[in-house]
Amino acid sequence: MHIIGNYEERLSNFNWNISEKELGYKPGDNINIGWYCSDRICNMGKGDKLALIWEGLGGKEKRYTYNDIRQYSNSIGNFLQGLGVKPEERVCLFLDRIPELYIGFLGILKIGAIAQPLFSAFGEESLHVRLENAETTAIITQKKHLGKVRRIVANLPHLRNIIVVDDNAKSPLQDMEVAFNMDESERIDKFEIYPTKAESPSVLHYTSGTTGMPKGVKHVHYSLISQYLTAQWVLDLKENDIYWCTADPGWVTGTSYGIIGAWASGVTQCVNDIGFSADAWYRFIEKHKISVWYSAPTAIRSLMKAGEKVVMNYDLSSLRHLASVGEPLNAEAVIWSEKVFGLPFHDSYWQTETGSIMISNYPGMRIKPGSMGKPFPGIEAAILNQNTYEPIPVGQAGLIGFRPGWPSMMRMYWNNEETYKAKFVNGWYIPGDRAYIDQDGYFWFIGRDDDIINTGGHLVSPFEVESALIEHPAVAESAVVSKPDFVNMEVVKAFVTLKTGYTADEEMELQIMNFIRKKLSPLAMPQEIEFVNGLPKTRSGKIMRRILKAQEWGEEIGDTSSLEDD
Ligand code: WT7
């Protein structure tokens, strides 16, 4: 199943049909990610192999074979069909990282519906805007998150079913709510999988925009072709690997590589829902003999902070390949990991929109610490001039551009064709990041080309936070920018002017922070609120975040010629 060859060789005779052939797919065939991730692996004689090892708090552990995930995803699909869920309807997964999230994802895809995973820490407003925009018809959740759903259900006219996976019958379910216990459900062995084709929609992920509300990124079943091959070639997944992807499926890494790439490759994957601590993470690796680990810079920096000594308490010799994604992986982190694990983290770069890894440090390739590496075979990448959108010479900074046409590219922003179209200029897809290429063809990340804040690998829109801030009764105006942070690289900071009659003190700061945490999410919550008397504005009244940001980062303020008071 595995093709031998180095980066240059694969580059020279690359064709996406290498992936199609490995997966036994021919153009025009049915292609269903749910089937590829479970039934196909069973058909290959690996039904008894472990697909998922799950750990929860308090040492709880559950194990599922490929045959288990095949049958349980059938059961979930069948249950949803029984509720009247139709192909292409959106089914939201609003769950902690529990087995039902992973297996439910396959079940939704098997009936041709669209999976819409959302981070379970989202507050009711974050949840509401995404369910409203997607016109979601069913939501799968847990008792502990039901309160948030109940508070917004009256404002979601398309929502018909609320499925509770851990109902314990202690308090009665309400109208529209129904219990489904996966582990106790009847296993369905024969199930008619909906005949999805390459372009049938599969997953809808929401990502933050600079000016508007979050955008739904629509993916299709054909994305599997990219996700499978990058999992094989970049993450280096092989038959006997025990794999751990630390990302939550509320974000694209957790679906593309925390479900699809992993299970389509037939490896055993480990998932935990125990929160972060260096001890807990190392123990997890040691206990399950994890060999391939895909994580994120913020986690790596947190491990660095915990120190080298704690590493010595564990046997981590099972580790074979380490990769990272989501935000800049600083050179120090790569060097540190090489020192303490004997293995460097391989940085990879991509986006919700690209659906799979675009640029990476390929296994076996010389790593230049701090660089994102080189484009995946079949991906044409360039650095473009920001005015002409023409490629610029080596060493010069500009916008990243990708030539459209790889299998996992988003097909649309949900109900937002205008914004989708604006992402393509001069024949290039523009991800909105700045970088340069060095003499050897390595890409070096510089920064985002917009105001979006990347905190711990998660994108937060300053616009969304500002909109939520002014809903607080004391807030008159606000401007939200990033400020530097060792672990999260950047965190959210808000500048706020208060309405008359309110006092700028610590209590007010905490009250506003809490307000945002509940409304949006813990990630979007400002880590600091600075009360000010006024905000810098352009003559036309637009708040200049750029000035506040430069101040936070100790940078030159740049052109302020359009500033109000100059
Ligand atoms: C944005 C995409 C795709 C996985 C999770 C993030 C930033 C991503 C890197 C990297 C520097 C990176 C970019 C990108 N980003 N990977 N290796 N080095 N920055 O998906 O939420 O859509 O965020 O994250 O700014 O555009 P996402």
Side-chain angles (χ1 to χ4, degrees), residues 474 498-503 508:
L498 292 178
K499 291 181 186 158
T500 41
Y502 290 94
T503 321
M508 179 60 76

Side-chain angles (χ1 to χ4, degrees), residues 206-208 217 251-254 257 294 297 324-329 347-356 359 371-372 431-434 445-450 452 454 457-459:
Y206 275 77
T207 185
S208 295
V217 176
W251 285 284
V252 72
T253 310
Y257 298 102
Y294 195 23
S324 161
V325 67
E327 24 157 359
L329 181 65
D347 192 15
S348 65
Y349 165 92
W350 55 293
Q351 293 188 307
T352 307
E353 286 87 340
T354 70
S356 66
I359 296 175
S371 156
M372 305 194 290
D433 290 308
R434 295 167 54 74
F445 185 82
I446 297 173
R448 290 192 57 97
D449 189 45
D450 56 25
I452 288 184
N454 187 337
H458 300 298
L459 304 188

Side-chain angles (χ1 to χ4, degrees), residues 132-285:
E132 186 180 47
N133 183 263
E135 300 184 345
T136 308
T137 55
I139 180 166
I140 305 180
T141 191
Q142 285 159 273
K143 266 240 139 131
K144 66 200 263 202
H145 303 305
L146 205 48
K148 290 190 265 192
V149 181
R150 282 179 180 168
R151 283 196 288 278
I152 58 174
V153 68
N155 297 321
L156 292 168
H158 294 89
L159 193 67
R160 296 193 309 260
N161 299 108
I162 301 163
I163 298 114
V164 187
V165 296
D166 59 350
D167 179 47
N168 48 18
K170 275 194 197 135
S171 58
L173 292 177
Q174 299 182 358
D175 192 29
M176 289 168 61
E177 296 169 0
V178 53
F180 177 80
N181 185 318
M182 183 181 81
D183 291 328
E184 286 166 22
S185 69
E186 191 192 331
R187 289 164 174 263
I188 296 185
D189 196 58
K190 298 238 164 345
F191 185 68
E192 202 173 314
I193 290 173
Y194 189 78
T196 45
K197 295 283 184 192
E199 292 303 306
S200 304
S202 54
V203 182
L204 188 64
H205 269 297
Y206 275 77
T207 185
S208 295
T210 337
T211 50
M213 281 299 162
K215 300 166 287 186
V217 176
K218 185 177 100 173
H219 286 292
V220 296
H221 282 266
Y222 191 63
S223 68
L224 170 69
I225 303 301
S226 295
Q227 289 151 347
Y228 168 79
L229 203 65
T230 47
Q232 295 277 308
W233 289 7
V234 181
L235 302 181
D236 204 30
L237 292 185
K238 299 202 166 77
E239 172 85 34
N240 293 322
D241 276 316
I242 310 283
Y243 167 66
W244 182 26
C245 170
T246 61
D248 189 294
W251 285 284
V252 72
T253 310
T255 56
S256 290
Y257 298 102
I259 304 180
I260 305 171
W263 281 346
S265 298
V267 300
T268 296
Q269 76 156 329
C270 300
V271 167
N272 71 30
D273 193 20
I274 57 175
F276 178 85
S277 92
D279 272 299
W281 277 35
Y282 295 143
R283 188 199 48 77
F284 192 67
I285 294 170

